[in-house]
Amino acid sequence: MTARGDHGTAVPGRWSVIGASATGPGHLRLGLHNQDAWGESEIRPGVHLVVVADGAGSRSRSERGSMLAVQAAHGAAAEVFGTKTPSSPGDWQHALGRFEAECLRRFDRLLKAMLAEGPPYLAGQGDPQPGDYATTLLAAVVCGPWLAYVGVGDCFLVVWRDDDSAHLVLGERMDREQQGATVFMTSQNRAANVERGLLHDPALAGIALCTDGLAEPMLATEAGAAHGSWVMTAPESFAAFFAFAAQGTDPTALTRRFQDDDFAAASPDDKTMVLAVRNR
Amino acid sequence: MTEGTLLDDFVVQPGKSRLLITLVLDTSGSMTSGGRIGALNDALRTFRNDLLKDDYIAKVAEVAIVAFGGTEPTVIDASGGGANPPDEPYVPLSRFRPPQLKADGYTPMVEALQKAFELIARRRERLQAQGIPMANRPLVYLITDGGPTDKNGMLSDEWRSLAPVIRGHEAGKHLLLFALGVEGADTDVLAGLAPESHFDLAGMSFTRILRLVSTSVERLAASNAGNEDASTAYRAVHEDVDKQQRMLRFLQENG
């Protein structure tokens, strides 16, 4: 939790962040660790980085891969937003482009350094390969009313507005298994599949970054604009999570919710959410 | 209002996705030998119960059976209702109550696989029309004790032209195919049909074979490997099977 005063009071106009991650029931059964990672930091007063990464469950070193992705995003945000906050739309576009490039470059550099060091031997896994560290990444820099994000893979992003409505901004695509294999930070086709976006919304009240283990329990479907198409949406009750974050209380309740029977039955995957809400 | 009740305000969304599991089962005459068909029927009951233990699989899985014996494949009413052919071959796991399968005739394996692929395509279309996505790629399990024959019971080479079709399905992420051979299976054919996912399980009971199937379903669902390229998914299952077989050998050798 950040951007709070000496006595734990929220500083108006700044952002408060909570996050939670629960190991998926399927991973527990397989004896796998939680392969998601998340992070947050206040880059400058009022400028926040929020990031989630989802290590591929089928890859042997993806737990480490997701940590590298989060580390890369921290470095990239500090580099791009650490000394100056963009002011004009053009500045933000430029900064977003740099942020994307830095996230990818730093991840590659961290991975290369790790492989060069000789990572720990894993029984039966042979020599480590970059693909063993496969992970997705969703990193967002929020500085109300601006939101800039970069995504590789299938994490999703929901924004909360002052009217208490929640909107899915990234991750509305359905039937992903038809679209080709999930793109990871280690994929050859990564560059062509980075999703980035810039939002300017004076009513921006909060953002939620989630790994795809939360898509099944938390997103709804509705008919899309094209005939016969369907899209994912954030249901009305999604706003309850933002309201919870705005209370600034114990985030472990969030973890417990993700571990309960309803969420466990909805997806065997790890479930991670980071919420940033604007202090009022 | 406490934070607990705030989070309880969120309604977990009803299950939207489906996992299609298609069992393509050999019911040719050779399955009568050694009581194999009876053992397979018994194992199917265990299979359902095993999978139902997984809350997630219980929620998303739909199962269909294509049996191949006689001169052509038969789509079985997996709900046990006796419809022939059933209007909807896929039934939710909770309603999976297959009838007693009978063994007879030849081994129209190639036609059975083609029928299974048709069923998958049709079911996928129906689900898509309702806005229901696939939770994972459809999984096809071929279990056989022989080699493919034609309508006259003669060994058939038709599988050679089916193999590239299967590779196309795999590359297009339409499905994953596992070919499981028991005593008497033509392992060359299985290796041709499923180069990265054939298993020689001679000597293994059907109960154990179907347990292997249910374990692989859980593995692919839990690790999301089904959303990766086919080779990665197959490798994940191989690792599990190898691990299980090593454990089994250890237990046998050490009493």
Side-chain angles (χ1 to χ4, degrees):
Chain A
M1 182 73 62
T2 53
R4 296 198 159 258
D6 290 343
H7 305 289
T9 51
V11 179
R14 304 271 284 274
W15 294 79
S16 295
V17 184
I18 61 167
S21 189
T23 308
H27 286 192
L28 286 172
R29 262 196 302 279
L30 294 172
L32 299 173
H33 294 126
N34 186 338
Q35 285 146 332
D36 287 356
W38 66 275
E40 58 97 7
S41 62
E42 193 170 39
I43 307 295
R44 293 162 49 75
V47 183
H48 242 101
L49 167 75
V50 184
V51 54
V52 293
D54 178 358
S58 52
R59 309 295 181 92
S60 56
R61 299 169 191 268
S62 60
E63 184 184 354
R64 189 78 187 108
S66 62
M67 290 179 199
L68 294 182
V70 169
Q71 191 181 340
H74 275 290
E79 167 82 23
V80 177
F81 300 96
T83 53
K84 186 177 172 231
T85 305
S87 50
S88 67
D91 283 351
W92 271 100
Q93 282 289 2
H94 180 66
L96 176 60
R98 283 183 60 213
F99 183 49
E100 174 192 328
E102 278 297 311
C103 283
L104 303 184
R105 189 181 69 80
R106 283 167 185 268
F107 176 81
D108 291 346
R109 203 175 63 188
L110 288 166
L111 182 54
K112 193 173 170 188
M114 168 156 290
L115 290 169
E117 268 175 27
Y121 169 79
L122 296 180
Q125 296 298 331
D127 289 336
Q129 303 295 322
D132 296 340
Y133 294 82
T135 179
T136 64
L137 171 71
L138 175 57
V141 172
V142 63
C143 172
W146 291 95
L147 167 67
Y149 63 84
V150 170
V152 174
D154 50 15
C155 298
F156 65 94
L157 170 64
V158 176
V159 304
W160 186 43
R161 306 192 75 226
D162 284 337
D163 62 3
D164 202 29
S165 59
H167 305 267
L168 182 66
V169 170
L170 177 69
E172 76 284 3
R173 204 173 60 184
M174 285 189 64
D175 224 1
R176 285 169 300 187
E177 99 286 2
Q178 295 253 54
Q179 311 290 332
T182 302
V183 177
F184 298 113
M185 290 291 280
T186 50
S187 301
Q188 298 286 337
N189 58 346
R190 176 187 72 182
N193 289 279
V194 179
E195 300 203 55
R196 70 179 198 200
L198 188 59
L199 191 73
H200 179 271
D201 182 1
L204 182 66
I207 60 171
L209 279 69
C210 309
T211 55
D212 76 326
L214 287 171
E216 184 83 8
M218 297 200 70
L219 297 181
T221 54
E222 66 179 38
H227 178 69
S229 71
W230 296 82
V231 293
M232 309 286 265
T233 61
E236 201 175 312
S237 62
F238 199 112
F241 282 83
F242 291 107
F244 168 78
Q247 283 190 329
T249 44
D250 180 12
T252 58
L254 198 53
T255 313
R256 286 196 298 276
R257 183 72 167 109
F258 293 156
Q259 287 169 330
D260 74 17
D261 290 347
D262 288 348
F263 272 82
S267 167
D269 209 354
D270 300 331
K271 300 171 182 73
T272 299
M273 175 188 277
V274 191
L275 291 147
V277 291
R278 194 183 74 232
N279 299 335
R280 301 185 199 199
Chain B
M1 186 180 279
T2 68
E3 66 270 42
T5 55
L6 260 182
L7 291 182
D8 290 342
D9 284 350
F10 176 77
V11 182
V12 169
Q13 298 301 294
K16 339 177 228 306
S17 52
R18 296 285 187 275
L19 172 63
L20 303 185
I21 301 169
T22 313
L23 302 176
V24 183
L25 304 176
D26 191 335
T27 53
S28 62
S30 60
M31 287 290 286
T32 53
S33 98
R36 282 183 197 156
I37 193 68
L40 176 59
N41 280 318
D42 291 344
L44 282 170
R45 314 272 174 276
T46 315
F47 171 71
R48 171 180 177 271
N49 295 336
D50 277 350
L51 280 181
L52 278 174
K53 286 177 194 158
D54 184 314
D55 292 342
Y56 172 67
I57 303 287
K59 196 168 173 179
V60 299
E62 293 186 353
V63 190
I65 297 180
V66 179
F68 55 102
T71 55
E72 55 186 26
T74 310
V75 179
I76 303 293
D77 183 349
S79 72
N84 184 19
D87 177 47
E88 179 45 75
Y90 288 91
V91 297
L93 186 61
S94 57
R95 287 182 39 225
F96 180 66
R97 286 180 185 78
Q100 293 285 316
L101 301 175
K102 293 185 175 63
D104 182 32
Y106 308 134
T107 314
M109 181 192 298
V110 171
E111 292 80 358
L113 284 169
Q114 287 167 330
K115 175 60 77 179
F117 301 157
E118 275 173 33
L119 297 185
I120 290 169
R122 201 183 313 151
R123 182 64 182 148
R124 187 197 284 271
E125 246 173 53
R126 283 188 184 182
L127 291 171
Q128 267 175 351
Q130 298 167 56
I132 300 172
M134 295 289 117
N136 220 315
R137 256 180 293 185
L139 306 175
V140 181
Y141 294 90
L142 167 70
I143 300 178
T144 182
D145 72 344
T149 57
D150 62 18
K151 282 186 188 311
N152 301 312
M154 306 301 288
L155 284 176
S156 163
D157 252 0
E158 276 300 301
W159 64 271
R160 291 184 192 281
S161 50
L162 184 63
V165 174
I166 296 170
R167 298 296 80 75
H169 282 313
E170 288 170 337
K173 305 203 75 194
H174 302 147
L175 53 84
L176 294 172
L177 168 70
F178 296 87
L180 315 179
V182 301
E183 209 77 53
D186 187 331
T187 48
D188 289 342
V189 171
L190 298 188
L193 290 171
E196 296 180 90
S197 54
H198 64 281
F199 295 83
D200 180 1
L201 304 177
M204 193 182 272
S205 72
F206 278 106
T207 302
R208 196 168 284 283
I209 288 168
L210 283 179
R211 192 153 284 155
L212 186 152
V213 170
S214 55
T215 306
S216 70
V217 171
E218 290 174 28
R219 170 66 148 118
L220 291 166
S223 64
N224 241 353
N227 282 336
E228 296 226 37
D229 61 86
S231 296
T232 304
Y234 290 145
R235 205 162 40 241
V237 172
H238 268 291
E239 281 167 15
D240 277 359
V241 172
D242 290 347
K243 215 181 288 176
Q244 282 177 33
Q245 289 187 328
R246 277 201 305 273
M247 198 178 290
L248 195 63
R249 265 199 307 275
F250 174 83
L251 291 172
Q252 283 167 346
E253 286 165 10
N254 294 277

